Amino acid sequence: MSAPQVMGHEIAGEITDIGDGVTGWVVGDRVQVIAAIPDGTCEDCLAGHQTICPNQVSMGYQFAGGFAEYMIVPREVLRVDGLNRIPEGLGFAEASLAEPLACVLNGQELARVGEGDTVVIVGSGPIGCLHVRLARSRGAARVILIDINAQRLAQAAALVQPDLTIDSSTTDPVDAVLVATNGRGADVVITAAASGAAQEQGLRMLARRGRLSLFGGLAKDAPFITIDANLVHYRELTIVGVNGSSPAHNKQALNLIATGAVPVADLITHRLPLDRLLDAIEIVGRGEAIKVTIEP
Ligand SMILES: [Zn+2]
């Protein structure tokens, strides 16, 4: 992040002014803004892989973000079609969740979540909740939600209704998943938590041909895990990473929210004004919320 900076990269709002030479938008348009901005011109972008653009910059990191009454949508966003019209009837708060849902969508595409799958999500924060709902909308037969914090797990489960919850502070999650699947294991495990232990356990929960999505990154100073390479080899497992989302993912995510395929309104447990931003960050830090939105 280039400091000082206005943070906030899950952004929605209304256009109040238009820059010189900008066409296709009018004052009053309601819009959602991408967070990760690919250059659109490098080899990876041209190959259709905008999420791994090596020249990627981001709202709230290199450009002033959404925790503000007014902000500028930079030309770099417009250049890659990163400004999306919010469909009629959808609120700004709900539309702002298109950005995290876009990342979740990228993750589930790469992990090939599909019809009939048993999907395990590790981590019951807002991203974990979005994973549960998206997996359902993609036809997953069974969704299992795991967290190390029993209270947070219960709060999330009450909203997103997984088929099974596992409190990994008291239960061995690998054993529990294997028991719940008659020893077969899960088709997909997604770790939506910054936990190397969860990644290691995730691999051991997989069925043959299973996919492990390392959705959550690890701390920079402890990025190493230990895995049984023979499990990967003999069981034909796939371990897949995921880095943010593309402008196209944002459009699809906004559409999934607007059509009700992935409901998000009930995941927003707190809506605070801009002058209570620090309170909002503390609420998130204490694990009391699923999703907090700032409404300047
Ligand atoms: Zn690029």
Side-chain angles (χ1 to χ4, degrees), residues 37-46 49-50 52-56:
I37 312 167
D39 62 10
T41 58
C42 72
E43 202 176 334
D44 293 306
C45 283
L46 293 176
H49 307 141
Q50 293 185 319
I52 51 164
C53 175
N55 306 313
Q56 185 183 92

Side-chain angles (χ1 to χ4, degrees), residues 107-122 131 135 138-141 184-191 198-199 201-215 231-232 235-241:
Q108 292 202 12
E109 282 180 0
L110 288 165
R112 305 193 305 279
V113 173
E115 206 70 40
D117 282 343
T118 294
V119 179
V120 172
I121 317 288
V122 186
H131 270 299
R138 294 172 69 88
R184 181 178 171 272
D187 299 293
V188 179
V189 175
I190 300 169
T191 58
Q199 294 177 343
Q201 290 165 347
L203 193 82
R204 292 163 50 216
M205 292 171 194
L206 285 177
R208 288 175 176 76
R209 282 272 170 140
R211 289 84 71 192
L212 172 65
S213 169
L214 306 185
F215 190 90
L231 272 186
V232 178
R235 298 172 73 94
E236 297 192 355
L237 305 182
T238 301
I239 301 174
V240 66

Side-chain angles (χ1 to χ4, degrees), residues 147-178:
D147 203 295
I148 205 156
N149 177 333
Q151 192 192 331
R152 189 158 128 130
L153 181 61
Q155 185 186 18
L159 289 170
V160 298
Q161 304 282 319
D163 297 292
L164 176 69
T165 58
I166 299 168
D167 172 359
S168 55
S169 71
T170 57
T171 306
D172 182 316
V174 179
D175 288 347
V177 168
L178 292 177

